[in-house]
């Protein structure tokens, strides 16, 4: 519905005003404050549509370039009259590419301010608000991914106006210092925001109420549900205690996947800042399907051998997106049927495993994503899976070809290799212990991790597996008997420098689980059974 044109003095007044609001965008996993500037630059011809009267500068791409159509639809729904002026909007900083729907809401509000339909904020209050939200053509404000990352960049005292359905997620900013005096206000309709900026409607600060979160990740399988496989269980505890990577080899159907799925349940509990970091990652990746969900348990990500390298490592045509390695941050990345993965995908894991970070470069951006995970892989020992038994019908050449699919450098980065055997009939029918086993194992793991935290205090080393090369013997602390046993094993097996370092790291973890200050002979022997192993050493 059109309205009567106002006098020229009113138009001149609109042309003289400056307007500024704060919005935000997600770039990789991080939020960035975007200063949304607007001003009326010329009178608009009568009945000019909003989408034609507004121009956006500042590297607006993709969904942002389409936002004017969504906003125009919402204005039509609310019977907001067409503008009397042409409006130029600039998104600063201008050199940062901007995509997505996070800026729909601040764009709609500043367009109404520039057109004189909403009152402008006083200069000293323009920085008080940070607005985010996708706008539907019916005037609804929709949830956006990465809301927590955007809320994280708010300054003390700023008020966040966010879509209903993002407010609980944004409330996690209270876990990080530097957000004193912030408020989070949930809105579901554009007309509510219009009423607020007109002073006709109040919004409730959700930070004043207690918010309870549910876990996005289900509880891990308890170790008590795994029958037999005591050696594999012991290897899993060592892997969890020292942050070591683990390879499970054995016939199909004997518990490799079940064992892998139980490992997150014995890893140390997440610290509060780790929970918030993981929730930010999962929110930015669009993994949280509703509000009030946080990542409070260690992730367990299962990757199928048909997965592309980009889906595993991360990537994209313009702004790179995180992959499975980042979603497994602080948790377990499980690669089932390891020998079936493409060599390129496995080789791409080398750098993330080493550094705990994946760097992805594209023409539009170069970003780094965290990925400090525990790698657990499983595979059959031959194409049929029954290598070494009477059931195996594979030729020696077929076995060799199958095993050679995994490159030496990748195997060299897996600290523990363990063979799962076929369970006996008695083991299959043994009643399960009603008492949970994982909590007890986790206590052992956490005790070992505390010893490591004291050992590496101030050195930036999270656990034994991350000991830097060249300092392994310095940190391990062998006793004379332990050192002699270590040297003998290295010499008799003609181990490479990397392999001997791996043996020392695992031996140190075994000693930590034993609450021993020094690495003794029995710790080295135990480590060697997993690092070298008889059948595995011959096969691989």
């Amino acid at each position: 519905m059109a309205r009567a044109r106002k006098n020229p003095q009113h138009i001149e007044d609109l042309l003289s005003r400056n307007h500024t609001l704060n919005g935000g965008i997600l770039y990789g996993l991080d939020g960035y404050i975007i200063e949304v500037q607007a001003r009326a630059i010329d009178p608009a011809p009568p009945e000019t549509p909003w989408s034609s009267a507004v121009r956006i500068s500042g590297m607006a791409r993709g969904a942002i370039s389409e936002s004017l159509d969504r906003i125009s639809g919402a204005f039509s729904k609310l019977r907001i009259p067409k503008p009397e002026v042409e409006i130029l909007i600039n998104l600063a900083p201008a050199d940062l590419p901007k995509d997505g729907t996070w800026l729909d809401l601040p764009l709609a509000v500043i367009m109404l301010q520039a057109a004189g339909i909403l009152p402008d904020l006083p200069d000293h209050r323009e920085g008080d608000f940070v607005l985010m939200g996708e706008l539907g053509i019916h005037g609804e404000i929709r949830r956006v991914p990465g809301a927590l990352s955007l809320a994280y960049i708010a300054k003390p005292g700023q008020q966040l106006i966010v879509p209903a359905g993002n407010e609980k997620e944004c409330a996690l900013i209270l876990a990080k210092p530097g957000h004193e005096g912030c408020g989070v206000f949930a809105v579901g309709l554009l007309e509510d925001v219009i009423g607020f900026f007109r002073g006709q409607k109040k919004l409730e600060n959700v930070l004043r109420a207690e918010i309870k979160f549910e876990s996005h990740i289900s509880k891990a399988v308890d170790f008590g549900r795994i029958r037999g496989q005591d050696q594999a269980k012991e290897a899993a505890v060592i892997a969890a205690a020292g942050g070591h990577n683990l390879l499970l080899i054995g016939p199909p159907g004997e518990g490799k996947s079940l064992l892998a799925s139980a490992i997150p349940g014995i890893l140390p509990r997440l610290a509060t800042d780790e929970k918030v970091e993981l929730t930010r990652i999962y929110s930015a990746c669009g993994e949280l399907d509703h509000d009030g969900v946080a990542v409070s348990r260690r992730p367990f990500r299962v990757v199928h051998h048909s997965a592309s390298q980009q889906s595993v490592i991360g990537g994209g045509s313009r702004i790179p997106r995180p992959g499975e390695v980042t979603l497994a941050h602080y948790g377990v990345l499980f690669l089932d049927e390891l020998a079936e993965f493409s060599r390129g995908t496995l080789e791409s894991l080398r750098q993330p495993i080493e550094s705990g970070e994946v760097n992805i470069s594209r023409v539009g951006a170069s970003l780094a994503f965290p990925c400090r995970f525990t790698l657990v892989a499983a595979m059959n020992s031959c194409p049929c899976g029954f290598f070494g038994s009477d059931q195996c019908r594979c030729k020696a050449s077929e076995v060799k070809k199958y095993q050679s699919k995994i490159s030496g450098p990748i195997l060299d980065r897996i600290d523990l290799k363990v063979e799962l055997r076929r369970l006996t009939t008695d083991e299959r029918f043994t009643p399960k212990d009603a008492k949970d086993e994982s909590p007890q194992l986790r206590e052992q793991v956490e005790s070992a991790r505390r010893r490591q935290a004291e050992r590496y205090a101030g050195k930036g080393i999270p656990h034994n597996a991350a000991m830097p090369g060249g300092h392994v013997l310095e940190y391990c602390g062998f006793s004379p008997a332990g050192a002699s046993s270590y040297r003998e094993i290295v010499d008799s097996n003609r181990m490479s420098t990397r392999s001997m370092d791996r043996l020392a790291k695992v031996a140190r973890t075994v000693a930590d689980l034993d609450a021993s200050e020094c690495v003794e002979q029995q710790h080295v022997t135990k480590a060697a059974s997993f690092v070298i192993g008889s059948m595995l050493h011959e096969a691989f």
Side-chain angles (χ1 to χ4, degrees):
M1 184 173 72
R3 65 177 177 179
R5 306 284 294 183
K6 294 191 177 180
N7 59 56
Q9 183 57 46
H10 170 72
I11 300 296
E12 288 298 320
D13 182 47
L14 293 180
L15 295 175
S16 67
R17 297 180 185 175
N18 300 323
H19 311 273
T20 304
L21 283 177
N22 285 327
I25 64 164
L26 192 68
Y27 191 72
L29 296 176
D30 298 321
Y32 288 83
I33 287 288
I34 299 300
E35 184 178 308
V36 185
Q37 304 173 317
R39 63 178 302 108
I41 54 174
D42 281 306
E47 297 303 307
T48 301
W50 282 96
S51 57
S52 301
V54 179
R55 182 161 55 92
I56 301 176
S57 66
M59 290 190 75
R61 298 174 174 176
I64 292 179
S65 62
E66 298 172 350
S67 62
L68 294 180
D69 294 327
R70 295 191 294 275
I71 294 171
S72 297
F75 286 178
S76 176
K77 165 75 174 182
L78 298 179
R79 303 284 184 173
I80 293 174
K82 292 180 172 60
E84 297 178 306
V85 288
E86 294 181 353
I87 300 167
L88 174 63
I89 297 176
N90 181 54
L91 306 177
D95 61 346
L96 180 67
K98 303 163 191 75
D99 203 345
T101 59
W102 300 280
L103 293 176
D104 283 10
L105 183 57
L107 285 172
V109 171
I110 207 165
M111 286 163 59
L112 295 175
Q113 290 177 333
I117 297 172
L118 274 183
D120 196 16
L121 291 172
D123 289 348
H124 69 280
R125 294 207 62 199
E126 286 182 337
D128 287 357
F129 299 96
V130 177
L131 290 80
M132 69 180 82
E134 176 184 335
L135 193 59
I137 62 173
H138 301 310
E140 73 277 16
I141 300 173
R142 298 179 173 178
R143 294 179 71 237
V144 290
L148 178 56
S149 291
L150 271 63
Y152 238 51
I153 56 178
K155 297 177 182 178
Q158 285 187 319
Q159 310 302 302
L160 302 168
I161 299 179
V162 306
N166 278 133
E167 71 274 14
K168 292 181 180 179
E169 176 186 333
C170 291
L172 286 171
I173 61 173
L174 293 178
K176 180 188 177 186
H179 292 100
E180 294 77 14
C182 284
V184 176
F185 303 88
V187 290
L189 298 170
L190 178 60
E191 57 187 307
D192 294 337
V193 182
I194 292 174
F196 172 74
F197 276 92
R198 282 177 173 163
Q200 300 169 347
K201 183 178 179 62
K202 289 186 176 180
L203 302 178
E204 295 295 325
N205 184 0
V206 301
L207 297 185
R208 293 176 180 168
E210 182 182 359
I211 298 176
K212 294 183 179 180
F213 292 90
E214 59 182 281
S215 179
H216 175 68
I217 295 174
S218 302
K219 189 177 180 180
V221 174
D222 188 81
F223 263 73
R225 295 182 60 84
I226 304 169
R227 291 187 171 96
Q229 308 298 2
D230 291 339
Q231 187 183 30
K233 286 183 180 180
E234 187 175 19
V237 173
I238 295 171
H244 303 288
N245 299 320
L246 172 64
L247 175 60
L248 304 170
I249 305 176
E254 297 299 339
K256 298 191 294 294
S257 298
L258 184 64
L259 180 62
S261 67
I263 292 176
I266 64 171
L267 288 170
R269 296 172 181 86
L270 289 169
T272 298
D273 59 335
E274 292 173 333
K275 293 177 183 178
V276 175
E277 183 180 0
L278 283 171
T279 303
R280 285 182 58 204
I281 291 171
Y282 275 66
S283 172
C285 294
E287 293 280 322
L288 305 183
D289 53 4
H290 61 278
D291 202 17
V293 176
V295 182
S296 56
R297 296 191 181 104
R298 300 271 178 178
F300 178 69
R301 302 295 298 190
V302 182
V303 182
H304 191 264
H305 61 78
S306 63
S308 67
Q309 181 176 328
Q310 180 174 304
S311 68
V312 175
I313 301 300
S317 58
R318 289 190 295 182
I319 299 176
R321 289 178 53 82
E324 288 291 336
V325 295
T326 299
L327 292 170
H329 187 49
Y330 293 140
V332 172
L333 180 72
F334 180 50
L335 306 183
D336 201 5
E337 302 293 347
L338 183 67
E340 302 297 336
F341 279 79
S342 72
R343 181 172 289 267
T345 299
L346 292 181
E347 291 299 313
S348 67
L349 287 170
R350 291 167 60 175
Q351 182 256 332
I353 290 173
E354 287 287 323
S355 65
E357 184 178 81
V358 58
N359 297 283
I360 304 174
S361 296
R362 295 291 184 271
V363 174
S366 294
L367 296 174
F369 300 129
C371 59
R372 192 169 293 283
F373 55 85
T374 297
L375 175 65
V376 179
M379 64 176 289
N380 298 330
S381 49
C382 66
C384 76
F386 299 103
F387 179 73
S389 72
D390 294 339
Q391 291 179 264
C392 182
R393 296 293 181 266
C394 300
K395 297 178 182 178
S397 59
E398 294 173 335
V399 175
K400 184 176 181 180
K401 180 180 179 181
Y402 179 79
Q403 294 174 354
S404 65
K405 289 182 179 181
I406 307 173
S407 70
I410 286 296
L411 284 175
D412 223 21
R413 286 164 173 79
I414 297 178
D415 296 341
L416 305 171
K417 304 178 185 71
V418 63
E419 178 190 1
L420 278 72
R421 56 179 177 78
R422 297 202 68 182
L423 297 179
T424 65
T425 302
D426 288 342
E427 286 175 324
R428 296 181 195 279
F429 285 91
T430 300
K432 293 175 184 155
D433 191 347
K435 189 176 181 181
D436 288 344
E437 190 176 334
S438 287
Q440 301 173 20
L441 296 177
R442 184 166 61 186
E443 287 181 11
Q444 298 176 29
V445 168
E446 289 180 332
S447 177
R449 287 287 185 107
R450 284 193 292 271
R451 298 178 70 85
Q452 293 167 50
E454 293 173 4
R455 181 182 306 123
Y456 307 126
K459 297 180 174 66
I461 303 173
H463 44 59
N464 287 336
M467 283 187 217
H471 297 275
V472 173
L473 296 181
E474 172 188 337
Y475 288 126
C476 282
F478 285 93
S479 70
S484 177
S485 177
Y486 174 63
R487 182 185 180 101
E488 181 181 339
I489 291 173
V490 168
D491 182 57
S492 62
N493 289 275
R494 298 181 180 179
M495 300 177 73
S496 67
T497 301
R498 185 190 292 272
S499 296
M500 62 180 283
D501 282 354
R502 188 166 64 246
L503 174 61
K505 293 175 184 179
V506 175
R508 179 64 263 177
T509 300
V510 175
D512 286 336
L513 285 167
D514 202 25
S516 174
E517 286 296 326
C518 295
V519 178
E520 303 291 350
Q521 181 178 359
Q522 67 269 25
H523 303 141
V524 178
T525 303
K526 175 69 69 177
S529 68
F530 295 115
V531 174
I532 303 171
S534 57
M535 190 278 279
L536 295 180
H537 184 55
E538 294 172 5
F540 294 93

